[in-house]
mmCIF file of all heavy atoms in Angstrom:
data_model
loop_
_atom_site.group_PDB
_atom_site.id
_atom_site.type_symbol
_atom_site.label_atom_id
_atom_site.label_comp_id
_atom_site.label_asym_id
_atom_site.label_seq_id
_atom_site.Cartn_x
_atom_site.Cartn_y
_atom_site.Cartn_z
ATOM 1 N N VAL X 32 3.186 5.739 -21.363
ATOM 2 C CA VAL X 32 4.164 6.303 -20.465
ATOM 3 C C VAL X 32 3.427 6.980 -19.260
ATOM 4 O O VAL X 32 2.385 7.670 -19.488
ATOM 5 C CB VAL X 32 4.998 7.416 -21.245
ATOM 6 C CG1 VAL X 32 5.881 8.260 -20.299
ATOM 7 C CG2 VAL X 32 5.974 6.676 -22.231
ATOM 8 N N TYR X 33 3.960 6.837 -18.113
ATOM 9 C CA TYR X 33 3.480 7.445 -16.885
ATOM 10 C C TYR X 33 4.590 8.261 -16.255
ATOM 11 O O TYR X 33 5.709 7.930 -16.253
ATOM 12 C CB TYR X 33 2.991 6.364 -15.916
ATOM 13 C CG TYR X 33 2.162 5.304 -16.418
ATOM 14 C CD1 TYR X 33 2.718 4.236 -17.156
ATOM 15 C CD2 TYR X 33 0.810 5.216 -16.220
ATOM 16 C CE1 TYR X 33 1.949 3.205 -17.613
ATOM 17 C CE2 TYR X 33 0.007 4.257 -16.741
ATOM 18 C CZ TYR X 33 0.628 3.187 -17.403
ATOM 19 O OH TYR X 33 -0.134 2.111 -17.881
ATOM 20 N N TRP X 34 4.147 9.413 -15.583
ATOM 21 C CA TRP X 34 5.143 10.231 -14.872
ATOM 22 C C TRP X 34 4.658 10.194 -13.342
ATOM 23 O O TRP X 34 3.490 10.425 -13.104
ATOM 24 C CB TRP X 34 5.134 11.641 -15.393
ATOM 25 C CG TRP X 34 5.923 11.788 -16.616
ATOM 26 C CD1 TRP X 34 5.377 11.877 -17.913
ATOM 27 C CD2 TRP X 34 7.249 12.016 -16.815
ATOM 28 N NE1 TRP X 34 6.347 12.133 -18.817
ATOM 29 C CE2 TRP X 34 7.570 12.177 -18.141
ATOM 30 C CE3 TRP X 34 8.388 12.034 -15.992
ATOM 31 C CZ2 TRP X 34 8.897 12.334 -18.583
ATOM 32 C CZ3 TRP X 34 9.684 12.258 -16.431
ATOM 33 C CH2 TRP X 34 9.890 12.381 -17.729
ATOM 34 N N TYR X 35 5.593 10.076 -12.509
ATOM 35 C CA TYR X 35 5.359 10.168 -11.077
ATOM 36 C C TYR X 35 6.296 11.018 -10.327
ATOM 37 O O TYR X 35 7.425 11.207 -10.778
ATOM 38 C CB TYR X 35 5.470 8.690 -10.452
ATOM 39 C CG TYR X 35 4.489 7.665 -10.902
ATOM 40 C CD1 TYR X 35 4.731 6.984 -12.065
ATOM 41 C CD2 TYR X 35 3.279 7.486 -10.274
ATOM 42 C CE1 TYR X 35 3.806 6.095 -12.533
ATOM 43 C CE2 TYR X 35 2.393 6.516 -10.618
ATOM 44 C CZ TYR X 35 2.698 5.860 -11.846
ATOM 45 O OH TYR X 35 1.829 4.871 -12.298
ATOM 46 N N GLN X 36 5.851 11.714 -9.348
ATOM 47 C CA GLN X 36 6.723 12.638 -8.473
ATOM 48 C C GLN X 36 6.838 12.077 -7.075
ATOM 49 O O GLN X 36 5.784 11.829 -6.456
ATOM 50 C CB GLN X 36 6.094 14.049 -8.526
ATOM 51 C CG GLN X 36 6.804 15.027 -7.728
ATOM 52 C CD GLN X 36 5.999 16.332 -7.474
ATOM 53 O OE1 GLN X 36 4.880 16.240 -6.977
ATOM 54 N NE2 GLN X 36 6.535 17.474 -7.812
ATOM 55 N N GLN X 37 8.097 12.024 -6.599
ATOM 56 C CA GLN X 37 8.209 11.597 -5.224
ATOM 57 C C GLN X 37 9.015 12.605 -4.418
ATOM 58 O O GLN X 37 10.121 12.862 -4.606
ATOM 59 C CB GLN X 37 9.060 10.275 -5.207
ATOM 60 C CG GLN X 37 9.191 9.707 -3.707
ATOM 61 C CD GLN X 37 9.883 8.395 -3.704
ATOM 62 O OE1 GLN X 37 10.747 8.069 -4.565
ATOM 63 N NE2 GLN X 37 9.743 7.642 -2.652
ATOM 64 N N GLY X 38 8.281 13.317 -3.529
ATOM 65 C CA GLY X 38 8.887 14.307 -2.639
ATOM 66 C C GLY X 38 9.720 13.653 -1.495
ATOM 67 O O GLY X 38 9.524 12.422 -1.329
ATOM 68 N N PRO X 39 10.523 14.318 -0.879
ATOM 69 C CA PRO X 39 11.376 13.807 0.225
ATOM 70 C C PRO X 39 10.504 13.041 1.255
ATOM 71 O O PRO X 39 9.544 13.697 1.781
ATOM 72 C CB PRO X 39 12.069 14.970 0.723
ATOM 73 C CG PRO X 39 12.088 16.071 -0.349
ATOM 74 C CD PRO X 39 10.710 15.801 -1.029
ATOM 75 N N GLY X 40 10.810 11.871 1.578
ATOM 76 C CA GLY X 40 10.121 11.124 2.653
ATOM 77 C C GLY X 40 8.670 10.743 2.221
ATOM 78 O O GLY X 40 7.910 10.264 3.121
ATOM 79 N N GLN X 41 8.308 10.882 0.963
ATOM 80 C CA GLN X 41 6.963 10.526 0.568
ATOM 81 C C GLN X 41 6.914 9.426 -0.370
ATOM 82 O O GLN X 41 7.954 8.895 -0.881
ATOM 83 C CB GLN X 41 6.381 11.780 -0.089
ATOM 84 C CG GLN X 41 6.214 12.995 0.813
ATOM 85 C CD GLN X 41 5.670 14.168 0.151
ATOM 86 O OE1 GLN X 41 5.244 14.067 -0.985
ATOM 87 N NE2 GLN X 41 5.581 15.277 0.868
ATOM 88 N N ASP X 42 5.738 8.879 -0.599
ATOM 89 C CA ASP X 42 5.586 7.891 -1.757
ATOM 90 C C ASP X 42 5.394 8.512 -3.028
ATOM 91 O O ASP X 42 4.870 9.714 -3.063
ATOM 92 C CB ASP X 42 4.415 7.001 -1.358
ATOM 93 C CG ASP X 42 3.124 7.700 -1.109
ATOM 94 O OD1 ASP X 42 2.985 8.267 -0.051
ATOM 95 O OD2 ASP X 42 2.283 7.728 -2.079
ATOM 96 N N PRO X 43 5.686 7.908 -4.151
ATOM 97 C CA PRO X 43 5.568 8.478 -5.485
ATOM 98 C C PRO X 43 4.044 8.753 -5.795
ATOM 99 O O PRO X 43 3.176 7.967 -5.446
ATOM 100 C CB PRO X 43 6.051 7.442 -6.461
ATOM 101 C CG PRO X 43 6.962 6.579 -5.585
ATOM 102 C CD PRO X 43 6.424 6.541 -4.217
ATOM 103 N N GLN X 44 3.850 9.866 -6.329
ATOM 104 C CA GLN X 44 2.472 10.295 -6.672
ATOM 105 C C GLN X 44 2.257 10.466 -8.249
ATOM 106 O O GLN X 44 3.192 11.054 -8.874
ATOM 107 C CB GLN X 44 2.166 11.642 -6.017
ATOM 108 C CG GLN X 44 2.156 11.689 -4.522
ATOM 109 C CD GLN X 44 0.927 10.950 -3.916
ATOM 110 O OE1 GLN X 44 -0.159 11.109 -4.420
ATOM 111 N NE2 GLN X 44 1.257 10.081 -2.891
ATOM 112 N N PHE X 45 1.321 9.916 -8.759
ATOM 113 C CA PHE X 45 1.002 10.076 -10.238
ATOM 114 C C PHE X 45 0.810 11.412 -10.639
ATOM 115 O O PHE X 45 0.048 12.250 -10.089
ATOM 116 C CB PHE X 45 -0.171 9.166 -10.523
ATOM 117 C CG PHE X 45 -0.669 9.323 -11.955
ATOM 118 C CD1 PHE X 45 0.000 8.736 -12.962
ATOM 119 C CD2 PHE X 45 -1.873 9.991 -12.258
ATOM 120 C CE1 PHE X 45 -0.429 8.800 -14.327
ATOM 121 C CE2 PHE X 45 -2.399 10.059 -13.512
ATOM 122 C CZ PHE X 45 -1.597 9.542 -14.558
ATOM 123 N N LEU X 46 1.427 11.796 -11.787
ATOM 124 C CA LEU X 46 1.281 13.133 -12.385
ATOM 125 C C LEU X 46 0.427 13.047 -13.724
ATOM 126 O O LEU X 46 -0.584 13.775 -13.820
ATOM 127 C CB LEU X 46 2.714 13.720 -12.747
ATOM 128 C CG LEU X 46 3.549 14.132 -11.591
ATOM 129 C CD1 LEU X 46 4.833 14.650 -12.119
ATOM 130 C CD2 LEU X 46 2.835 15.235 -10.668
ATOM 131 N N ILE X 47 0.876 12.212 -14.642
ATOM 132 C CA ILE X 47 0.126 12.277 -15.865
ATOM 133 C C ILE X 47 0.592 11.039 -16.725
ATOM 134 O O ILE X 47 1.668 10.460 -16.415
ATOM 135 C CB ILE X 47 0.485 13.528 -16.733
ATOM 136 C CG1 ILE X 47 -0.514 13.763 -17.880
ATOM 137 C CG2 ILE X 47 1.975 13.544 -17.161
ATOM 138 C CD1 ILE X 47 -0.356 15.285 -18.463
ATOM 139 N N SER X 48 -0.265 10.599 -17.636
ATOM 140 C CA SER X 48 0.127 9.512 -18.525
ATOM 141 C C SER X 48 -0.337 9.762 -19.918
ATOM 142 O O SER X 48 -1.293 10.516 -20.191
ATOM 143 C CB SER X 48 -0.500 8.238 -18.004
ATOM 144 O OG SER X 48 -1.962 8.238 -18.040
ATOM 145 N N PHE X 49 0.359 9.005 -20.865
ATOM 146 C CA PHE X 49 0.083 9.042 -22.255
ATOM 147 C C PHE X 49 -0.082 7.694 -22.862
ATOM 148 O O PHE X 49 0.778 6.806 -22.602
ATOM 149 C CB PHE X 49 1.092 9.908 -23.052
ATOM 150 C CG PHE X 49 1.198 11.218 -22.569
ATOM 151 C CD1 PHE X 49 1.922 11.746 -21.518
ATOM 152 C CD2 PHE X 49 0.490 12.265 -23.309
ATOM 153 C CE1 PHE X 49 2.016 12.990 -21.130
ATOM 154 C CE2 PHE X 49 0.490 13.602 -22.889
ATOM 155 C CZ PHE X 49 1.356 13.969 -21.861
ATOM 156 N N TYR X 50 -0.964 7.574 -23.706
ATOM 157 C CA TYR X 50 -1.156 6.336 -24.524
ATOM 158 C C TYR X 50 -1.181 6.672 -26.022
ATOM 159 O O TYR X 50 -2.067 7.501 -26.393
ATOM 160 C CB TYR X 50 -2.388 5.522 -24.129
ATOM 161 C CG TYR X 50 -2.701 4.408 -25.115
ATOM 162 C CD1 TYR X 50 -1.898 3.297 -25.273
ATOM 163 C CD2 TYR X 50 -3.899 4.450 -25.843
ATOM 164 C CE1 TYR X 50 -2.182 2.336 -26.183
ATOM 165 C CE2 TYR X 50 -4.206 3.432 -26.742
ATOM 166 C CZ TYR X 50 -3.350 2.417 -26.881
ATOM 167 O OH TYR X 50 -3.600 1.415 -27.891
ATOM 168 N N GLU X 51 -0.272 6.149 -26.767
ATOM 169 C CA GLU X 51 -0.291 6.494 -28.232
ATOM 170 C C GLU X 51 -0.288 7.945 -28.473
ATOM 171 O O GLU X 51 -1.154 8.424 -29.275
ATOM 172 C CB GLU X 51 -1.492 5.760 -28.954
ATOM 173 C CG GLU X 51 -1.237 4.355 -29.156
ATOM 174 C CD GLU X 51 -0.171 3.953 -30.138
ATOM 175 O OE1 GLU X 51 0.263 4.866 -30.906
ATOM 176 O OE2 GLU X 51 0.288 2.827 -30.192
ATOM 177 N N LYS X 52 0.470 8.738 -27.781
ATOM 178 C CA LYS X 52 0.695 10.115 -27.859
ATOM 179 C C LYS X 52 -0.472 10.993 -27.398
ATOM 180 O O LYS X 52 -0.440 12.191 -27.592
ATOM 181 C CB LYS X 52 1.015 10.459 -29.347
ATOM 182 C CG LYS X 52 2.402 9.883 -29.791
ATOM 183 C CD LYS X 52 2.531 9.633 -31.334
ATOM 184 C CE LYS X 52 1.829 8.323 -31.606
ATOM 185 N NZ LYS X 52 1.931 7.933 -33.024
#
Side-chain angles (χ1 to χ4, degrees):
Chain X
V32 167
Y33 312 81
W34 286 97
Y35 296 86
Q36 177 193 54
Q37 185 181 23
Q41 299 178 3
D42 52 284
Q44 297 287 318
F45 171 72
L46 291 178
I47 195 166
S48 62
F49 293 88
Y50 166 66
E51 285 289 345
K52 293 153 280 185

